[in-house]
Amino acid sequence: MKRLLNILYITQPDVYLSLDGDNIMLTREQEKLGRFPLHNLESIVSFGYTGASPALMGYCADRNIAITFLTMSGRFLARVIGQSKGNVVLRKKQYLLSEDEVLSAKIARNFIVGKIYNHKWMIERMTRDYPMRIDVEEFKDISQHLSTIMLEVRVCEDLERLRGLEGLAAVSYNKAFGRMILQQTDDFYFHSRSRRPPLDNVNAMLSFAYTLLANDTASALEAVGLDAYVGFLHRDRPGRASLALDVMEELRGVYADKFVLTLINKRIVNKDDFFKKENGAVLMTEEGRKKFLAAWQNKKQEKMMHPYLGEKISWGLVPHSQAILFARFLRNDLDEYPPFLWK
C-alpha cells in the first residue's frame, strides 16, 4: 500500500476493501493488512481487483472519493464515483485548452522538455559509466545538440515547430541509443525506429514496452478523472489515447528504453525469443513475452526517489504521480505542469 498526494494505492493482489467506521479496511483471506482514515483521501486506486463492499463504495460516493480498479498489469477496469463535481470541471478545462493550439503548444513543450532532458541524462550516464566502450566525444556532441534543442523547445509556441524540434532531438538520440547496446550486438542492433511492423529484435521490444507504458499511463489518467483520449501534442484521433501518449513522452527513455537495454545487456532475452514473419515483421515468441512481462512487473516494483515530489515510490506509480500533477496543473494548483526530470 502507498499513499501519494492523498491517494491510496493498493498494489498487493487479492486485497478486499471494506468500511470500518470512517476508515477503509484492507483484508486478504481474513487477515487484516491495514486500516486508513478516509477523511483525508481524494481517491483509492486498487491493482488486482478482488472486491469492495457496497458500504465502502456508498461512503466514498457520498464524499466524492473515487475508487478505481485496475488489473495487476495496470489495465483500467472501472471507476466508481459519486455525482460529477470536480471531474467534469477538470475535463471541461482539458477540452477547452486542447482546442487552442497555442495553449496546447505551451503545455506540450513541457512533455518534450522532459523527454529530451531524460534522453540527455541517459547519454551522460553512459559517458560516465562506460567511457572505454563508447565514443565519448560523439556522445558529448549529441548531448550538447540535445541541450541546444531543449532551449528552443522551452520557448516554442507552435505545435508544428514543436514536433519538428522533437523529431530533430529523436534523430540525435537514436544515434546514441544503438551504441548503448553493449551485449549480443550481432542479434540486437538499432539503426532507426520501425513501428508498423517492427523490423528487428530491438524495435519489437520497444514497441511492446511503449504499448505497456501507454496502457499504464492511460489508466493513471483515467484514475484521476482526466480523458486519456484528448491530448495536446498528439491531436484527436479516433481510438488513440492522445493524452496518454503526451504524458508518456518524458518516460519513454528512462522507463521503456532503459528497460529494453537492460534486458539485452543483462542477457535476459536472446535471439531465440524472436521470430520473423513473411512480411519482415519481427515479433516476440510466447516465451519471450513471458520473460518480458515478468521483468516489466519487477521493474514496476523497483523503488526510486521522485525528482519533483521528493517521495520514494515505485516505478509503476510514476505515471500515476504525473497524472496527479497534470490534474493539479489544470486545476490551477500549479503554475505549470512539472515533467518527470530524472536525475
Side-chain angles (χ1 to χ4, degrees):
M1 283 74 71
K2 172 71 179 176
R3 275 198 289 184
L4 178 65
L5 295 179
N6 296 327
I7 296 180
L8 176 65
Y9 290 93
I10 297 122
T11 57
Q12 298 180 17
D14 306 324
V15 174
Y16 184 76
L17 316 179
S18 60
L19 185 67
D20 180 16
D22 292 321
N23 305 287
I24 177 174
M25 180 69 75
L26 312 179
T27 58
R28 182 171 57 199
E29 296 180 353
Q30 308 303 315
E31 177 189 1
K32 294 181 180 179
L33 301 179
R35 184 171 175 270
F36 299 92
L38 286 160
H39 67 272
N40 61 352
L41 290 182
E42 293 179 3
S43 66
I44 300 161
V45 179
S46 178
F47 292 80
Y49 170 66
T50 294
S53 72
L56 175 66
M57 289 190 283
Y59 182 100
C60 291
D62 287 342
R63 290 158 181 79
N64 201 34
I65 302 171
I67 305 177
T68 303
F69 298 104
L70 310 175
T71 66
M72 284 304 295
S73 63
R75 182 172 60 84
F76 179 80
L77 291 176
R79 189 162 179 262
V80 180
I81 57 173
Q83 293 182 345
S84 295
K85 295 178 184 176
N87 290 331
V88 67
V89 174
L90 181 66
R91 290 198 177 202
K92 286 179 70 174
K93 180 71 174 292
Q94 177 187 353
Y95 300 150
L96 181 65
L97 293 177
S98 180
E99 289 297 315
D100 188 315
E101 291 206 358
V102 174
L103 291 176
S104 292
K106 290 180 178 180
I107 293 169
R109 67 191 183 191
N110 280 23
F111 302 133
I112 302 305
V113 163
K115 179 180 185 177
I116 298 174
Y117 178 97
N118 290 331
H119 284 172
K120 177 180 167 64
W121 174 86
M122 291 176 64
I123 290 168
E124 293 288 346
R125 186 73 176 264
M126 287 293 294
T127 63
R128 187 192 75 185
D129 294 347
Y130 301 100
M132 304 300 293
R133 304 190 65 179
I134 62 169
D135 186 333
V136 172
E137 289 305 314
E138 180 188 26
F139 270 56
K140 286 185 176 180
D141 287 345
I142 292 172
S143 177
Q144 183 57 50
H145 187 223
L146 292 180
S147 294
T148 302
I149 296 173
M150 191 159 42
L151 291 175
E152 293 187 57
V153 168
R154 285 179 174 175
V155 296
C156 183
E157 297 184 0
D158 179 80
L159 279 174
E160 285 304 314
R161 174 62 178 157
L162 187 59
R163 293 188 186 102
L165 291 170
E166 190 275 334
L168 288 174
V171 170
S172 287
Y173 166 74
N174 285 343
K175 290 178 184 177
F177 178 75
R179 292 163 174 75
M180 294 183 199
I181 300 171
L182 304 178
Q183 301 289 339
Q184 308 184 83
T185 52
D186 289 340
D187 301 313
F188 293 92
Y189 46 83
F190 180 85
H191 302 302
S192 63
R193 185 79 178 100
S194 56
R195 298 172 176 81
R196 301 182 185 90
L199 299 177
D200 56 61
N201 297 346
V202 176
N203 271 292
M205 285 196 290
L206 288 174
S207 292
F208 195 20
Y210 294 157
T211 297
L212 293 173
L213 181 56
N215 182 67
D216 289 348
T217 306
S219 295
L221 293 166
E222 294 287 346
V224 299
L226 289 163
D227 189 334
Y229 288 82
V230 176
F232 299 90
L233 178 67
H234 295 84
R235 309 306 287 173
D236 295 349
R237 182 185 296 176
R240 182 172 74 176
S242 295
L243 184 58
L245 296 178
D246 284 355
V247 174
M248 70 176 272
E249 287 290 352
E250 63 212 61
L251 302 178
R252 284 179 184 267
V254 292
Y255 200 143
D257 295 2
K258 197 166 180 292
F259 172 77
V260 167
L261 288 170
T262 297
L263 293 187
I264 298 169
N265 290 334
K266 289 190 174 182
R267 299 180 180 271
I268 296 170
V269 296
N270 57 61
K271 63 179 182 179
D272 296 331
D273 294 317
F274 302 85
F275 68 95
K276 181 175 285 190
K277 299 180 69 175
E278 291 181 358
N279 65 352
V282 175
L283 302 176
M284 299 189 76
T285 65
E286 183 178 353
E287 184 61 30
R289 286 196 301 271
K290 287 180 181 178
K291 290 182 186 178
F292 193 102
L293 288 170
W296 182 262
Q297 289 304 106
N298 289 336
K299 170 68 176 178
K300 289 169 70 172
Q301 297 302 316
E302 292 178 8
K303 300 293 184 181
M304 46 75 70
M305 184 66 70
H306 192 286
Y308 179 82
L309 298 175
E311 285 193 46
K312 200 167 188 179
I313 64 173
S314 66
W315 273 100
L317 291 182
V318 171
H320 294 267
S321 70
Q322 297 311 116
I324 293 167
L325 291 170
F326 191 72
R328 292 199 166 191
F329 158 67
L330 291 184
R331 293 191 182 104
N332 296 320
D333 294 334
L334 297 171
D335 292 336
E336 61 179 329
Y337 166 71
F340 183 83
L341 304 177
W342 187 228
K343 299 176 182 178

